[in-house]
Amino acid sequence: MSGSINYISCGLLWIGLLVKLPDLIRHWSERSLRAVNGVLALASLCFLFGAPASVQVINRVSGVPNLAAPLTYASITAYSAALLIMIACWRGGPSLRRTTLSWIYGYTAVLTGIGALFMLGDAAEERSSDFDTYYATTPWISEMVVLYLIAHLAAVTVSAVWSLRWGFEAEVRRRPWLRASLLTIGTGTVISSGYSICKLIAVVARWTGRDWAVLGTSIPPLCAGLGAVLTVVGVLLPMAGHHLSAWRDFFRLAPLDAVLDPVLTDRALRVERPRSPFLWGTWRWSTIHNGLLAIETLYDERLYDHTLGTEFERTGDWSRATSAAWAATIAAAVRRSTQPVLETTGAPARLSHPRDAESLVLIADAVKRCERETRAVEPGPAAARSV
């Protein structure tokens, strides 16, 4: 990739880090959140250190020929390890701590080895594009190159197997954003493996007296760039999906919000909408939840059972019937709440309204559907005049 693409990619990743920074500060104890931010930060360093202009600046400012090489290799290795840890944190399980610690210790040893081998070796002539193949037969430097390439290949291989295998499991199919993320990460890591495979082939060719430098300089950057872009997109998909789902819920919950408006207004339960659009879905959900709590003692159990039975008999869809029953029950409870005198027995209501956003969205859809059906059967102006 060209240097400009490197810097643009690095800048976009830094923007993603800035967006995630508040969550990281508030929830520092969450391993998965730390892992996601680690992947984004280390991926940005890979793009930054890998840009040709950055290589020249690092070598010139440090006064050490080819210092950019071990820095780039270290960032690639650390990024690969962070990706493994992130996938392990997403999956969870009783062996999570042992798995993550083993990867951390293993790749810390690899990073230490990269630094030690570079200091032991002699890479006096600066090579900005073909460092791997040029120094493939140089003592200590060749070992450093092979070490980071094998470490990278191992990490992306395991990441690909984990993400693709998990992405095709039945339980993940019900979570479309997570599944899309895992499949995208899996595709990206498979492509990224071409980086280390091509370089290893070129290095081995130098050991046998052949010069396949083109294989080590032309194809690997393409594999690394495309693979990293896909992998980072996969990492960001759950976050994007969360916000998109929240915005979708914000609009889809509007009919239920409108039904509860008399209660929310009369009892001053409607709080001011936050400025950040990222919080609008949560704000509407919590507002609706406040309204439902205010009328939960007014639910008509007989109305609920009657509507549930009637709608299920008509459609044969239990989920739709349940949502329609709750829509009718909530609307009736709101009407009762506006009456001057309410008859209450003081007994707790048997009915307990759903509290999760998905169920409330289905109820809101039932409200909208009922309003649409009501408008369809109402006589228009012409029909009204003919009556």
Side-chain angles (χ1 to χ4, degrees):
M1 294 191 301
S2 66
S4 59
I5 295 179
N6 278 54
Y7 293 128
I8 291 173
S9 302
C10 181
L12 293 175
L13 289 170
W14 283 349
I15 293 173
L17 278 172
L18 289 175
V19 172
K20 295 293 291 181
L21 186 60
D23 289 339
L24 180 63
I25 295 174
R26 287 193 300 265
H27 308 287
W28 175 256
S29 59
E30 293 187 12
R31 293 180 179 176
S32 60
L33 190 56
R34 296 202 304 268
V36 168
N37 282 271
V39 169
L40 296 178
L42 292 168
S44 69
L45 291 182
C46 293
F47 284 112
L48 180 63
F49 292 155
S54 298
V55 171
Q56 296 174 6
V57 169
I58 293 171
N59 294 338
R60 184 175 64 252
V61 171
S62 66
V64 179
N66 298 305
L67 179 63
L71 289 178
T72 303
Y73 299 162
S75 63
I76 292 173
T77 303
Y79 160 73
S80 305
L83 184 62
L84 275 172
I85 294 170
M86 186 201 71
I87 297 174
C89 289
W90 282 3
R91 187 63 187 262
S95 61
L96 172 61
R97 179 177 175 81
R98 185 175 64 254
T99 301
T100 54
L101 285 178
S102 63
W103 286 115
I104 290 173
Y105 292 150
Y107 275 82
T108 299
V110 172
L111 293 173
T112 304
I114 291 174
L117 290 170
F118 180 76
M119 289 188 292
L120 290 171
D122 181 15
E125 184 177 346
E126 181 174 334
R127 309 295 298 190
S128 58
S129 60
D130 61 346
F131 180 91
D132 300 322
T133 52
Y134 185 84
Y135 287 105
T137 57
T138 302
W140 303 114
I141 300 298
S142 62
E143 286 81 356
M144 180 193 74
V145 171
V146 172
L147 175 64
Y148 103 86
L149 288 175
I150 291 178
H152 174 265
L153 182 59
V156 295
T157 301
V158 175
S159 296
V161 171
W162 280 2
S163 55
L164 292 176
R165 185 174 60 187
W166 187 18
F168 283 106
E169 289 183 2
E171 63 179 31
V172 179
R173 294 178 183 176
R174 296 189 295 267
R175 304 166 64 183
W177 285 106
L178 177 59
R179 187 168 189 262
S181 172
L182 291 170
L183 296 181
T184 305
I185 291 174
T187 304
T189 49
V190 168
I191 295 174
S192 294
S193 66
Y195 172 86
S196 49
I197 291 173
C198 290
K199 282 187 173 289
L200 281 170
I201 293 174
V203 168
V204 172
R206 278 298 306 274
W207 292 349
T208 60
R210 298 178 178 85
D211 185 8
W212 292 355
V214 175
L215 184 63
T217 57
S218 300
I219 301 177
L222 297 176
C223 294
L226 180 57
V229 169
L230 286 175
T231 302
V232 170
V233 169
V235 171
L236 295 176
L237 271 177
M239 180 177 67
H242 170 74
H243 292 308
L244 289 174
S245 297
W247 287 334
R248 178 206 62 185
D249 292 348
F250 170 76
F251 291 107
R252 289 182 64 184
L253 286 170
L256 183 56
D257 186 293
V259 169
L260 291 169
D261 184 67
V263 175
L264 295 170
T265 303
D266 182 60
R267 306 191 187 187
L269 296 175
R270 187 184 296 281
V271 298
E272 184 179 356
R273 186 167 66 183
R275 295 182 179 180
S276 172
F278 296 114
L279 301 176
W280 287 358
T282 303
W283 165 79
R284 176 154 281 173
W285 173 86
S286 60
T287 301
I288 289 173
H289 185 59
N290 291 340
L292 294 176
L293 287 176
I295 61 172
E296 64 179 350
T297 59
L298 305 177
Y299 294 149
D300 188 335
E301 183 179 332
R302 288 177 298 178
L303 174 62
Y304 176 86
D305 292 337
H306 173 73
T307 308
L308 178 65
T310 302
E311 190 69 15
F312 182 71
E313 183 178 352
R314 186 174 71 90
T315 64
D317 188 332
W318 182 259
S319 176
R320 177 166 175 160
T322 303
S323 302
W326 272 116
T329 303
I330 291 170
V334 170
R335 289 193 295 269
R336 290 191 64 195
S337 70
T338 60
Q339 296 176 1
V341 179
L342 296 175
E343 297 180 3
T344 58
T345 61
R350 182 184 71 87
L351 292 176
S352 178
H353 60 261
R355 284 165 168 76
D356 60 289
E358 182 178 355
S359 297
L360 293 179
V361 165
L362 294 177
I363 295 173
D365 290 343
V367 171
K368 185 176 181 179
R369 190 164 54 246
C370 180
E371 293 175 349
R372 187 167 56 246
E373 292 173 355
T374 301
R375 288 194 300 268
V377 299
E378 287 179 349
R385 287 194 300 269
S386 63
V387 174

